[in-house]
Amino acid sequence: MTSIPSLMALRCFDASARHRSFTRAADEVHLTQGAVSHQILGLEEQLGVQLFVRRRAGLVLTAPGQAFWNEISAALRQIERAAQNLRTHKGLGGTLNLCVASSFATYWLMPRLGDFVARHPEVTLNLSTHIGPVDFANAPHDAAIEYCDGPAAGIQAHKVWPLALSPWCAPALLKGHGGRRASAPVTRARLGALLNEHALLRHTTVPQAWPEWLAAAGLTADVAPAHLNDGPQYDLLSMALNGAIAGLGVALLPGYMVQAAAQSGQIVPLSPVTWTSDKAYYLRFPDWKAAMPPLQKLAQWLADPAVTSPR
């Protein structure tokens, strides 16, 4: 069985890699420069690779050294944070690094987050955004709220919210289509013509949305197949929302995102038909993170019907 390097050796290596100097690393870990150098030599011997090239201008990580540092630095930061959380919160709270799909964070999570903070002042919730699946093995995130299929090998998932989409556009696009009131959906007879006339704003992460919605609305035959691929693609739902507000085309949008723009008259609904994706927004995290008190409290909060009720 391969022995694990000592924590002191790893701390010396990490500090030396960050400072590119044994002397400055020694100041950080409160050892002599010679002791740090000795720790690094012992680590290199144990691992069987050279970790640094010693040059007059300073230390340079070798390719194996860089790869090793990339893997252990996140683990060392986790240990430091766990110790700080324990000292500060005695195991009852702490910091949680949460990655959230950008539009979901802005339009769904943030308006509700004050309730979580009021209930759990002992938890510090750091938020970041990411497009695409989070790689928990190489990212600093403890958990993520992602639009995805749900659990995976070694990854737990709790469903937070479905993705249900319906069509919206700026009022100006309706000119010549019946002069309708904002409160009344476009008649089916005119809807096909309107969709063919204006760009269909597409979502990179939900490429099947328009074909699926047209099928649900019984309008597949009313829209030219080539027109489905004519509209611009956006990575973020918020881009599609702002594109619709700007009159760039028709966007399929979730109800939680359109409320403010609809109330101000910036966009209007075109149909009551809603298509719900097979995927959804899930709170996902690695198995080994499941026991974190801040994560458990977030999961419990997200499971509260009072939190997830439509607003």
Side-chain angles (χ1 to χ4, degrees):
M1 181 176 178
T2 303
S3 61
I4 299 175
S6 73
L7 182 58
M8 179 53 74
L10 295 177
R11 288 185 62 208
C12 289
F13 169 66
D14 175 61
S16 299
R18 283 186 285 105
H19 294 296
R20 298 297 195 264
S21 164
F22 288 152
T23 301
R24 289 197 292 275
D27 291 338
E28 179 177 318
V29 299
H30 305 294
L31 293 176
T32 65
Q33 185 272 342
V36 170
S37 179
H38 180 75
Q39 289 284 345
I40 299 301
L41 289 172
L43 185 60
E44 290 177 325
E45 182 177 349
Q46 183 179 3
L47 297 175
V49 296
Q50 184 178 358
L51 299 172
F52 292 103
V53 176
R54 285 77 165 169
R55 293 179 177 167
R56 181 173 299 178
L59 301 172
V60 178
L61 283 163
T62 63
Q66 182 69 56
F68 184 57
W69 187 43
N70 291 344
E71 292 200 54
I72 71 157
S73 57
L76 290 173
R77 302 293 87 75
Q78 178 69 27
I79 293 171
E80 291 171 358
R81 191 180 63 174
Q84 181 60 40
N85 286 340
L86 190 61
R87 283 193 295 267
T88 304
H89 302 287
K90 310 306 179 187
L92 300 177
T95 301
L96 184 70
N97 293 327
L98 179 68
C99 181
V100 190
S102 177
S103 300
F104 191 78
T106 300
Y107 293 93
W108 192 94
L109 182 61
M110 294 304 294
R112 292 167 167 81
L113 203 54
D115 180 68
F116 177 79
V117 173
R119 294 194 203 184
H120 300 291
E122 74 282 6
V123 174
T124 299
L125 192 60
N126 297 327
L127 299 181
S128 61
T129 62
H130 186 274
I131 296 175
V134 171
D135 179 6
F136 290 106
N138 297 299
H141 314 302
D142 299 311
I145 299 179
E146 301 179 279
Y147 172 70
C148 62
D149 292 311
I155 302 294
Q156 298 185 32
H158 301 280
K159 189 174 181 178
V160 176
W161 197 258
L163 180 63
L165 304 173
S166 59
W168 296 76
C169 74
L173 268 62
L174 295 174
K175 292 180 179 178
H177 291 276
R180 56 172 288 271
R181 302 186 314 275
S183 59
V186 171
T187 63
R188 187 188 183 286
R190 296 181 179 275
L191 185 52
L194 187 148
L195 294 176
N196 276 303
E197 181 179 336
H198 299 291
L200 304 182
L201 308 182
R202 297 177 292 156
H203 311 305
T204 305
T205 53
V206 198
Q208 79 281 20
W210 271 113
E212 294 285 353
W213 184 87
L214 291 171
L219 290 168
T220 299
D222 295 67
V223 177
H227 188 56
L228 291 174
N229 298 317
D230 287 344
Q233 289 193 106
Y234 301 130
D235 282 338
L236 305 178
L237 284 170
S238 58
M239 294 178 179
L241 168 64
N242 286 290
I245 291 172
L248 302 181
V250 181
L252 290 172
L253 298 168
Y256 68 81
M257 180 179 287
V258 300
Q259 294 174 3
Q263 289 172 2
S264 65
Q266 293 176 293
I267 56 173
V268 291
L270 298 183
S271 170
V273 175
T274 297
W275 168 75
T276 301
S277 172
D278 290 337
K279 297 181 180 181
Y281 290 99
Y282 286 87
L283 174 67
R284 302 176 79 236
F285 47 88
D287 289 338
W288 66 277
K289 296 269 191 177
M292 292 181 64
L295 179 53
Q296 291 179 338
K297 292 177 180 181
L298 178 66
Q300 292 168 1
W301 177 74
L302 289 171
D304 185 343
V307 173
T308 56
S309 60
R311 298 189 177 188

